[in-house]
Amino acid sequence: MSTLSPARPDAPPEPRSVRMTLLSRPLWLMLYFAGWTFIGLWLGTNVWISQRDNPGAVAWHYYTWELSSALVVGALALAVGWFESRCRITGPGAWRRMLVHLPAAVVFSLVHVAIIVAIRKAVYAAMGSSYEFGEVWIGLVYEFQKDLITYLSLVVACALIRTIRERRRHQLEALELRRALSEAKLAHLAAQIEPHFVFNTLNAISNRMYEDVPAADRMIVALSDLLRTAMTADGSAFVRVSDEVHWLRAYTALMAERQPGLLHVDIAVGEGLDAMRLPRLLLQPLVENAFRHGLRNGRGHLAVTLRRDGEQLHCRVEDDGVGFAADAQPGVGLANVRERLALLYPDRHRWQIGPGAHGGTAVDITLPLEPWTAEPKA
């Protein structure tokens, strides 16, 4: 029965291990061993201080002992990390795999002792002295009880680091999935808005055709210009405020052709807001809703205002039409705008609809004030 954790061929790629990261980056590897060198020097200093009253104390003996031990443990820690990744102490069957780590701890201690003894003998010989390990079995047992704690600490540290990294990877995957779902839904909502706008505009042109053919012709030309602009857009979720306002002016001019001279539209944009960003086609459904419901008789006043409010962008669409019904159900346009705001600015936007200052209806939207930046191409 295998003690290793089989890797599923359909599993997502594992995050790169700390050991592989160190081995592939020489600077990181140097810093890694510099850390172990510091530990050795710190331990050597502590031993030397504890022996400062001993007349036979020799400082370089203590530094040789602790430095050799720390650096060898640092090198063996990389091997322990590799072994623990193949024989994990976490997950299903972990108790069976833990048994393998008992003989591994013995091997770890034997290798550790063999290398530090060789290093110490070489250093002592270079200094004109000799190093004696003492009685072998007693020395091995003494070193093993320390090495066992060291080995277990390294194994637990490797498991903890891997668990943290895997949890972080899963969190990132979940965030990426939610982002992809949100983008897909945003694309669906944006695609929903444009046909809705086209159908309503064509209906307005159809009604106008029987009353004023030249006006209907101008509306068709204006509609074709709007559609051409929409077709050349890159599909980004955001546009410049200036681009959204340009679209809005063209659209309101088109709709004003229904009753020339009877429908007045004011669009005011605060200074410095042209380069800010706004969700694409955010205001058009609100204006369209005002034309269809509040100003359905084709006359009245419509005001669109964009202004800075501290670090917020405040958008207001207000008409002086028939007024707001408290029990009115939002149509496709309003529901679409609210859904997109919830996706783009969760808990970071305000939405309010109610009576306007001069009768009619007012819709207020407050968003974070953010500069427009080009979105990277897919």
Side-chain angles (χ1 to χ4, degrees):
M1 179 172 60
S2 174
T3 59
L4 302 182
S5 299
R8 293 182 289 111
D10 58 338
E14 293 288 333
R16 202 174 196 191
S17 68
V18 175
R19 181 183 66 89
M20 290 303 298
T21 302
L22 289 173
L23 293 178
S24 63
R25 298 183 180 181
L27 179 59
W28 286 33
L29 191 62
M30 291 173 61
L31 292 174
Y32 171 78
F33 278 107
W36 284 105
T37 300
F38 173 79
I39 292 174
L41 291 172
W42 176 64
L43 293 174
T45 301
N46 282 334
V47 176
W48 180 43
I49 292 174
S50 68
Q51 298 293 322
R52 65 184 183 278
D53 295 329
N54 183 356
V58 181
W60 66 265
H61 286 183
Y62 308 128
Y63 283 111
T64 301
W65 300 348
E66 301 302 336
L67 275 171
S68 62
S69 182
L71 290 172
V72 173
V73 167
L76 291 177
L78 299 176
V80 172
W82 173 85
F83 185 71
E84 196 281 332
S85 69
R86 298 299 187 275
C87 192
R88 299 183 174 185
I89 63 170
T90 58
W95 288 107
R96 295 193 303 271
R97 292 193 296 275
M98 284 182 183
L99 297 176
V100 181
H101 285 281
L102 293 177
V106 175
V107 173
F108 173 88
S109 182
L110 291 174
V111 173
H112 178 231
V113 171
I115 297 177
I116 63 173
V117 168
I119 292 174
R120 292 171 187 178
K121 284 184 174 293
V123 172
Y124 272 60
M127 297 297 291
S129 183
S130 63
Y131 174 77
E132 297 296 335
F133 182 64
E135 192 171 344
V136 175
W137 289 109
I138 294 178
L140 288 176
V141 171
Y142 172 75
E143 293 293 339
F144 177 74
Q145 52 90 25
K146 294 192 298 180
D147 287 341
L148 179 61
I149 296 174
T150 302
Y151 179 86
L152 292 178
S153 299
L154 290 172
V155 168
V156 171
C158 291
L160 182 61
I161 292 172
R162 185 186 64 254
T163 300
I164 293 173
R165 288 162 61 92
E166 288 180 349
R167 182 173 298 176
R168 177 61 177 163
R169 178 171 61 91
H170 293 154
Q171 290 173 344
L172 291 175
E173 288 174 352
L175 288 173
E176 181 66 21
L177 178 60
R178 285 199 294 269
R179 186 186 67 82
L181 291 174
S182 295
E183 288 182 351
K185 190 169 184 179
L186 279 171
H188 171 73
L189 290 170
Q192 188 183 61
I193 277 288
E194 290 175 1
H196 184 261
F197 151 72
V198 172
F199 295 149
N200 288 337
T201 306
L202 289 175
N203 184 57
I205 293 173
S206 176
N207 293 336
R208 192 68 178 142
M209 185 70 71
Y210 296 99
E211 302 170 359
D212 189 339
V213 174
D217 182 64
R218 289 193 297 271
M219 292 175 73
I220 292 173
V221 172
L223 176 61
S224 67
D225 289 340
L226 286 173
L227 292 178
R228 187 178 299 110
T229 301
M231 291 177 66
T232 56
D234 60 6
S236 300
F238 296 93
V239 295
R240 291 185 185 90
V241 166
S242 58
D243 294 334
E244 181 76 359
V245 170
H246 176 76
W247 167 282
L248 210 56
R249 293 187 192 279
Y251 173 69
T252 54
L254 184 155
M255 299 306 292
E257 287 287 353
R258 296 186 303 170
Q259 295 285 354
L262 300 179
L263 187 62
H264 302 280
V265 179
D266 290 327
I267 300 178
V269 181
E271 184 178 356
L273 295 181
D274 285 343
M276 298 297 107
R277 74 174 190 172
L278 198 65
R280 188 169 68 94
L281 293 178
L282 176 71
L283 300 178
Q284 184 272 330
L286 306 181
V287 172
E288 181 181 354
N289 191 72
F291 283 141
R292 291 194 64 207
H293 301 289
L295 305 173
R296 56 175 174 261
N297 59 2
R299 64 185 64 201
H301 182 265
L302 175 69
V304 180
T305 307
L306 286 83
R307 62 181 177 84
R308 181 193 297 264
D309 184 9
E311 296 301 315
Q312 304 289 313
L313 174 63
H314 181 258
C315 309
R316 183 178 179 88
V317 177
E318 181 178 7
D319 65 71
D320 61 356
V322 298
F324 173 75
D327 58 348
Q329 297 296 318
V332 172
L334 292 183
N336 184 291
V337 170
R338 295 186 72 170
E339 278 196 74
R340 285 196 290 149
L341 287 174
L343 286 170
L344 291 169
Y345 303 103
D347 304 320
R348 295 194 302 138
H349 75 281
R350 291 196 301 273
W351 161 283
Q352 184 176 359
I353 182 169
H358 307 287
T361 304
V363 179
D364 291 281
I365 298 174
T366 304
L367 310 170
L369 186 64
E370 300 171 333
W372 181 86
T373 55
E375 297 182 14
K377 300 293 184 182

